[in-house]
Structure formats: C-alpha cells, structure tokens
Amino acid sequence: QNKKTTVIPFSIKIQDIAAGKHHALALEAPSEGNGTRVFTWGCGNYGVLGHNRQKDEYYPRHVAFMPRGMSLKKVAAGANCSLALTTQGHVYFWGVTKSGGEAVMKPQLVDALANNQHVVTHLGAGSSCVACTTNVGNTVVWGQGPYGELGLEGKKSSAKPAFVESLEGLIASDLACGQGSILYVIKDDENSKKLPKVDLKAVEESLKK
C-alpha cells in the first residue's frame, strides 16, 4: 500500500532476489569463510517465509532455519512457496504448491533430488508449481498443472517431484515459471533436435477465432 520507495537500512550485499504473490526473498552475496543468508518478508501464510510460523514480516528477517554455514547461489518464489539452491546443487523448499495442502513451515531439503545425486542447475516456481533442471539433462516438476504446464503426459498434478520425459537428456540454460506456463531455454545440440516444432501459423489462426 505504500507507494514510496523504501530503502532497507542494512549494509548487506545481495546476490539474488525473488518475489512471490505476497512475499519476497533476498539472498546474501557470498563472503570469504562464511555461508550465505536468506532474508524473507511479506505475508507469512502457509509458512512461505520459512520462520516456522504463519506471521507477516514487514521488514527482511533472516531465515534462521537454514543449516548454518550453508552456501546458496539462487532463490525463487512462487505464489505460496519459496526455494533456495545451494552451490552443491541441492534444493530447499518451504510453503505450499496447493493452497489446501499441508504447509512446509521451514526450509526442507528436497530428498527426492538430493538422495539420488541430482545436481540442480536452475529452478523456478509459478502460481502453483515448481520446476528444476539438472546438469545431466533431467527436468523435474511438481505441484498443480491445470493447464498442462507441468509437461507430464496424462497428469495435471504431482504431489512429488516427477521427471518430464519429453525433456529427458536436454540441457536447460534457464527456466521461468508463470501463471499456467513454464518456459525452458534448451541448449542447441543433437538432443534438442527431437523436440517438436510449434506451428506458429496454426497458433495465430486459433487466436483469431
């Protein structure tokens, strides 16, 4: 509601930021010999701020439940969830992907990825879904996909991380999640040639109807 620009009075260097529907995250830049801290603020519904309680925060607050000394390189925010990516390629998640689901109140390691030695390189979160890509060409998604955004054939939702088979073996250099869509930037190599081509003329004609 405050339309004025507010300067946060902390002398902390920031390397990444993310904003969800009603909350925000800031990731501290690395410094020699220390880990990197995550700060969150905004609406605290569903544990989205990671402080193990559903309470709003009006100023950035350190997420103390992250393992001490942890080195992080990226954060992401969905409508009601937050994620952090470590330099080792492990993903921490908190919040919910489904408004009626059980909330994760503080950062929790995504075991399905870490325990199977997946090294995540990129991650993102949309209105009700999460997507991650790995260094060997695996794409993993979970959450709600009412518009087919998860890319799981025959499924519109997945409570647990699931592989997107149509993108198997394709290396992603970036991804973005939105309202009803997920976009990937795929490395141009022999594997990428198997992807189907979009008929842009057919799309344009359908939009005219």
Side-chain angles (χ1 to χ4, degrees), residues 21-39:
K21 187 176 182 180
H22 298 299
H23 76 290
L25 298 87
L27 175 61
E28 183 181 23
S31 58
E32 188 175 350
N34 297 314
T36 47
R37 293 174 294 176
V38 178
F39 297 86

Side-chain angles (χ1 to χ4, degrees), residues 3-190:
K3 296 182 180 180
K4 296 181 180 180
T5 300
T6 301
V7 178
I8 304 301
F10 300 127
S11 57
I12 298 174
K13 293 183 177 180
I14 300 298
Q15 65 169 318
D16 196 24
I17 54 176
K21 187 176 182 180
H22 298 299
H23 76 290
L25 298 87
L27 175 61
E28 183 181 23
S31 58
E32 188 175 350
N34 297 314
T36 47
R37 293 174 294 176
V38 178
F39 297 86
T40 61
W41 66 101
C43 178
N45 288 347
Y46 308 109
V48 70
L49 299 182
H51 303 307
N52 201 31
R53 61 182 187 178
Q54 298 196 65
K55 184 178 180 180
D56 297 350
E57 298 289 343
Y58 297 98
Y59 298 97
R61 180 183 177 187
H62 173 220
V63 181
F65 290 96
M66 290 294 297
R68 185 178 297 274
M70 177 71 68
S71 181
L72 303 167
K73 65 179 183 179
K74 186 173 178 59
V75 290
N80 297 306
C81 70
S82 302
L83 299 108
L85 178 63
T86 75
T87 54
Q88 289 77 33
H90 295 163
V91 176
Y92 282 82
F93 172 92
W94 58 100
V96 294
T97 55
K98 183 179 180 181
S99 58
E102 183 178 354
V104 179
M105 300 298 294
K106 57 186 179 180
Q108 184 178 93
L109 180 67
V110 181
D111 292 333
L113 297 172
N115 291 347
N116 291 294
Q117 299 182 339
H118 292 294
V119 178
V120 174
T121 53
H122 301 282
L123 79 174
S127 59
S128 57
C129 65
V130 173
C132 302
T133 59
T134 74
N135 63 334
V136 295
N138 292 318
T139 298
V140 180
V141 297
W142 69 93
Q144 304 299 304
Y147 304 103
E149 59 264 44
L150 296 183
L152 303 175
E153 295 185 12
K155 293 181 63 177
K156 290 189 175 182
S157 67
S158 178
K160 298 180 180 179
F163 290 100
V164 181
E165 295 182 1
S166 60
L167 296 177
E168 183 179 359
L170 301 178
I171 304 295
S173 58
D174 202 2
L175 70 86
C177 301
Q179 174 75 39
S181 64
I182 301 178
L183 303 176
Y184 302 93
V185 178
I186 301 297
K187 181 180 178 181
D188 187 10
D189 57 18
E190 289 298 319

